[in-house]
Amino acid sequence: MTRKPLHGLVVNDSVNVESGYVLNINSNTRTFINSQGFFDIMAKTKDTLLISSLGLKSKKIVLTEKDFVISLFVIKLTTLVNPLQEVVVTKTVIKPNLGNIQNIID
């Protein structure tokens, strides 16, 4: 079976997906997700796609026959929650070096 174009859209409930990539692991080809979340990649049934975008949890999908029947293949990624284990707050005093303040006043 030969690969054919797969037209897709990456979506998320909270944020607009404006960048990232889709990797076809089987053919080792990659395409980028455009600023509206759309992508096009050559693929076939049983190919595995890895979808990744900054701030979102990556996802692997094994394609089926049904994925090629629809005109737009929609992939929903979940927001990546990365809780911080520790936050350190320090007090730093910044004193600007103004030199001769009289020159500024004049």
Side-chain angles (χ1 to χ4, degrees):
M1 174 182 250
T2 61
R3 288 185 169 83
K4 53 188 174 184
L6 179 68
H7 308 290
L9 173 64
V10 181
V11 296
N12 176 271
D13 289 338
S14 305
V15 297
N16 291 332
V17 181
E18 299 176 348
S19 64
Y21 66 88
V22 178
L23 172 68
N24 184 330
I25 294 172
N26 299 80
S27 66
N28 198 26
T29 56
R30 178 176 62 174
T31 189
F32 291 96
I33 300 166
N34 74 15
S35 60
Q36 288 85 38
F38 292 99
F39 69 91
D40 289 303
I41 194 164
M42 298 297 286
K44 66 180 181 178
T45 303
K46 297 184 182 176
D47 275 357
T48 301
L49 300 182
L50 172 63
I51 302 92
S52 182
S53 182
L54 188 64
L56 301 174
K57 194 174 186 180
S58 296
K59 187 178 208 177
K60 279 187 182 179
I61 297 175
V62 178
L63 297 172
T64 65
E65 297 264 346
K66 289 188 277 183
D67 298 327
F68 291 92
V69 175
I70 53 179
S71 60
L72 185 63
F73 180 60
V74 178
I75 301 166
K76 187 174 183 178
L77 296 183
T78 57
T79 305
L80 181 64
V81 178
N82 190 8
L84 301 175
Q85 293 184 7
E86 181 180 353
V87 177
V88 177
V89 179
T90 60
K91 180 180 177 183
T92 304
V93 178
I94 300 174
K95 292 184 179 181
N97 182 5
L98 299 176
N100 185 353
I101 194 73
Q102 189 60 45
N103 291 338
I104 294 172
I105 295 171
D106 292 341

